[in-house]
Amino acid sequence: MARWSHLDATLGCLRRAAYGEPMKAITIPEFGGPDALVLTDVEPPEARSGEVVVRVAAAGVNRADVLQRQGHYAPPPGESEVPGLEVSGTIEALGDGVTGWSVGDEVCALLSGGGSAEMVRVPFEQLLPVPAGVSLVDAAALPEVACTVWSNVFLTANLQPGETLLVHGGSSGIGTMAIQLGRAVGAVVAVTAGSPEKLTACAGLGAEVLVNYRDEDFVERVMAATDGLGADVVLDNMGAKYLSRNVSVLATNGRLVIIGMQGGTRAELDIAMLLRKRAAVIATSLRARPAGEKATIVAAVREHVWPLIEAGEVRPVVMSRHPLSAAADAHRELEASAHIGKILLTV
């Protein structure tokens, strides 16, 4: 009986898709706290030229979703108002001009929005196959962090074997990926985190220099660990709060890449110190990049990161999985900042 019930449910989903009946999605009628997230019926997406429709198995929850819910991070023009920047699932439909993919393929995808829903529309060049050895659900934990880390630490900052990488927020989704990829290419990885438990988790992933930012100075610790040389690359999610100390901790020819503003948006920059160190400060974002740039990043991730995942050298770190209807609970967990790795919504 369970088998036939499952078949009936699957056929029902296909019928709804075929006739354009509403799907469930997280909406934000008014900005606010986690309870501002409302699960409601919306029109399902249709694949335009160069796009596919993915039936979602799971969606990652990211800081960007929290900022969007609060009214601080609108989606790019023309993109879905539904939050969610990464998903895993099965291809439901193909638009004109799509090559290399078929209906029924299991994929994960980098999005500009729309992931917290039963279905989502994706440019086909932002699709990735589910890596061997990773479940369909847990694959949703990969696209955003893998693309963020690879584009910033490697394509932009050009981290090299033997260099030192400092990762702020080492126990976050991005942090856990950065640690693993840094170690995989032969870098020494230093991290900051806010508890012994988080630092232990970072050490288990390969971090060697562990700094509790609540009672330790990361500049002193990293300088001591590198014999006064400093960090060659710093991946920073804090912004203004850490700017001066990040510049201080940079090695000669060091590269500071800022990807977040959790510590504010304005601070003084010591240009004289930058000149002495011949260092660079770079600020980047991923969501608003043109489709062509995203396609280039996704292709690089597939070429360089996916083999490491399939070889077992890198893995998604998933803290918890919540049903789509409990999106508010997932946001509360993320904002509490006690998690290690990724938080997912399952559909």
Side-chain angles (χ1 to χ4, degrees):
M1 181 64 69
R3 176 183 175 187
W4 291 111
S5 297
H6 176 72
L7 179 60
D8 288 343
T10 301
L11 291 174
C13 289
L14 292 174
R15 283 193 295 271
R16 286 195 296 274
Y19 291 100
E21 292 186 12
M23 67 172 185
K24 296 294 184 183
I26 296 297
T27 61
I28 309 172
E30 296 183 0
F31 299 131
D35 289 329
L37 301 172
V38 177
L39 182 66
T40 189
D41 289 332
V42 302
E43 290 300 310
E46 294 183 4
R48 300 174 297 198
S49 178
E51 296 179 334
V52 305
V53 170
V54 173
R55 181 167 293 282
V56 177
V61 180
N62 294 283
R63 293 283 176 186
D65 302 323
V66 172
L67 291 173
Q68 181 175 338
R69 189 201 75 218
Q70 294 170 338
H72 303 312
Y73 194 20
E79 299 295 342
S80 173
E81 297 287 339
V82 172
L85 301 182
E86 59 189 340
V87 297
S88 60
T90 305
I91 293 179
E92 182 90 0
L94 305 175
D96 294 337
V98 173
T99 59
W101 301 97
S102 301
V103 171
D105 285 348
E106 292 188 343
V107 296
C108 51
L110 179 70
L111 311 173
S112 296
S116 299
E118 291 181 326
M119 289 187 288
V120 65
R121 182 173 55 215
V122 187
F124 81 95
E125 291 179 313
Q126 291 171 216
L127 294 173
L128 289 156
V130 173
V134 178
S135 72
L136 179 60
V137 166
D138 285 358
L142 290 170
E144 176 73 13
V145 296
C147 290
T148 296
V149 173
W150 193 261
S151 64
N152 287 289
V153 175
F154 297 93
L155 297 180
T156 297
N158 194 29
L159 180 71
Q160 296 295 305
E163 289 190 325
T164 297
L165 168 66
L166 170 59
V167 180
H168 290 302
S171 61
S172 66
I174 288 174
T176 54
M177 178 59 66
I179 293 168
Q180 295 179 85
L181 289 179
R183 291 295 296 142
V185 303
V188 175
V189 181
V191 298
T192 63
S195 72
E197 294 77 15
K198 289 183 176 182
L199 291 174
T200 297
C202 292
L205 295 171
E208 298 179 55
V209 183
L210 310 171
V211 184
N212 188 328
Y213 66 78
R214 298 187 187 279
D215 52 28
E216 298 178 291
D217 181 356
F218 69 79
V219 178
E220 292 180 1
R221 288 290 313 281
V222 172
M223 285 298 186
T226 59
D227 296 324
L229 296 176
D232 300 285
V233 175
V234 178
L235 184 64
D236 175 56
N237 60 353
M238 293 300 294
K241 183 177 181 179
Y242 279 9
L243 180 61
S244 63
R245 285 189 290 160
N246 279 334
V247 172
S248 295
V249 83
L250 282 177
T252 299
N253 296 315
R255 293 84 75 195
L256 165 61
V257 186
I258 301 171
I259 61 171
M261 302 177 292
Q262 294 181 43
T265 62
R266 294 180 180 273
E268 288 190 0
L269 178 63
D270 189 338
I271 297 175
M273 184 178 292
L274 276 182
L275 288 171
R276 290 196 300 271
K277 295 187 174 190
R278 301 187 298 279
V281 177
I282 308 157
T284 75
S285 65
L286 183 59
R287 186 180 193 181
R289 291 193 187 209
E293 291 187 20
K294 290 182 180 178
T296 298
I297 292 169
V298 169
V301 165
R302 184 170 182 175
E303 178 182 356
H304 297 285
V305 179
W306 254 227
L308 296 173
I309 296 172
E310 295 188 336
E313 296 181 45
V314 174
R315 61 181 176 86
V317 178
V318 178
M319 179 73 180
S320 61
R321 303 163 187 83
H322 301 261
L324 187 62
S325 58
D329 292 335
H331 276 228
R332 290 187 187 96
E333 183 179 13
L334 184 66
E335 289 182 279
S337 293
H339 63 288
I340 296 170
K342 295 287 292 187
I343 298 169
L344 302 181
L345 295 175
T346 57
V347 183

